[in-house]
Amino acid sequence: MIDDKHFYEPSNGHRLAHDPFNAIVGPRPIGWIASHSANGVMNLAPYSFFNAFNYTPPIVGFASIGRKDSLNNIEQTGEFVWNLATRPLAEAMNLSSVSAPPEVDEFRFAGLTPIQGRIVKVARVAESPVAFECRCSQILQLTTAAGSSVETWLVLGEVVGVHIDRALLKGGNYDTAGAHPILRGGGPTDYFEVMAETLFHMRRPPYP
């Protein structure tokens, strides 16, 4: 068998027009994170490295590449809210990604409505059909395999409150495609939308 694959060691460069890593590990859920500073300045920012990590208790997390406002705010308050980014909200989500000073309220900048959390003090995006209120459980600075520190922090939070539009609950099941969530692809502009047409089913097989 001929192994006709492009191979590279990331530390030596990929030798391609664009780094393929983000495109290969994708599409990825978007961490649309709301937080506020200790003095109450609201912040809203999307993160392309986000996912769920545990069922019970439910834990989600996102990676801040560099020390961003969200990281600083969560260190100060211990709370944040994840908001589902959907196709109708894509442009507003993109606006909230602006590199603005800490005193800028991205809710207002993106034309979104903040609504107070029921358990945490952080506001959620009223227009988003799903939101998780979270209490920070861990903040970990990443390291290389050799043990050197990386300027990236993994922020983990326990989900303590969940908001779901009732229209997305069908027979007691959450309708993933019905929310039209968007996911991050590779490169500076690639996004994907989850649609019912791409759904397929598989059950875990029993061991023979």
Side-chain angles (χ1 to χ4, degrees):
M1 179 178 173
I2 298 174
D3 186 13
D4 185 22
K5 292 184 173 64
H6 177 76
F7 173 80
Y8 68 94
E9 298 176 67
S11 59
N12 296 327
H14 47 73
R15 306 187 309 279
L16 298 170
H18 300 284
D19 189 339
F21 179 76
N22 287 2
I24 294 168
V25 187
R28 302 178 303 283
I30 297 169
W32 202 11
I33 305 298
S35 64
H36 66 225
S37 65
N39 59 5
V41 177
M42 291 190 294
N43 181 269
L44 181 65
Y47 289 84
S48 66
F49 290 113
F50 166 86
N51 222 308
F53 294 96
N54 197 53
Y55 275 123
T56 308
I59 293 175
V60 296
F62 70 96
S64 175
I65 300 175
R67 182 162 281 280
K68 306 288 179 60
D69 292 339
S70 303
L71 171 63
N72 293 333
N73 290 347
I74 295 165
E75 282 182 334
Q76 293 170 21
T77 68
E79 297 179 337
F80 65 94
V81 173
W82 170 79
N83 304 274
L84 181 66
T86 65
R87 186 64 186 91
L89 293 173
E91 286 70 26
M93 181 277 297
N94 193 42
L95 277 174
S96 73
S97 72
V98 65
S99 296
E103 62 271 15
V104 172
D105 176 355
E106 287 85 3
F107 279 87
R108 180 175 298 177
F109 184 82
L112 295 163
T113 308
I115 183 169
Q116 183 63 49
R118 295 181 64 172
I119 295 176
V120 303
K121 295 180 181 178
V122 178
R124 60 185 171 88
V125 175
E127 291 82 359
S128 177
V130 182
F132 294 163
E133 299 186 26
C134 303
R135 290 199 176 112
C136 181
S137 55
Q138 289 174 278
I139 297 177
L140 307 170
Q141 184 171 9
L142 302 188
T143 66
T144 65
S148 301
S149 295
V150 176
E151 289 297 299
T152 297
W153 287 262
L154 175 62
V155 181
L156 297 169
E158 179 180 345
V159 179
V160 295
V162 178
H163 302 262
I164 307 172
D165 275 7
R166 294 187 187 278
L168 295 176
L169 298 175
K170 305 291 180 63
N173 296 313
Y174 174 72
D175 181 9
T176 300
H180 297 278
I182 55 174
L183 305 101
R184 192 68 170 90
T189 63
D190 291 359
Y191 290 84
F192 293 86
E193 178 183 354
V194 175
M195 294 180 286
E197 292 77 11
T198 60
L199 173 67
F200 66 97
H201 298 274
M202 286 195 299
R203 292 189 184 277
R204 184 179 300 178
Y207 184 74

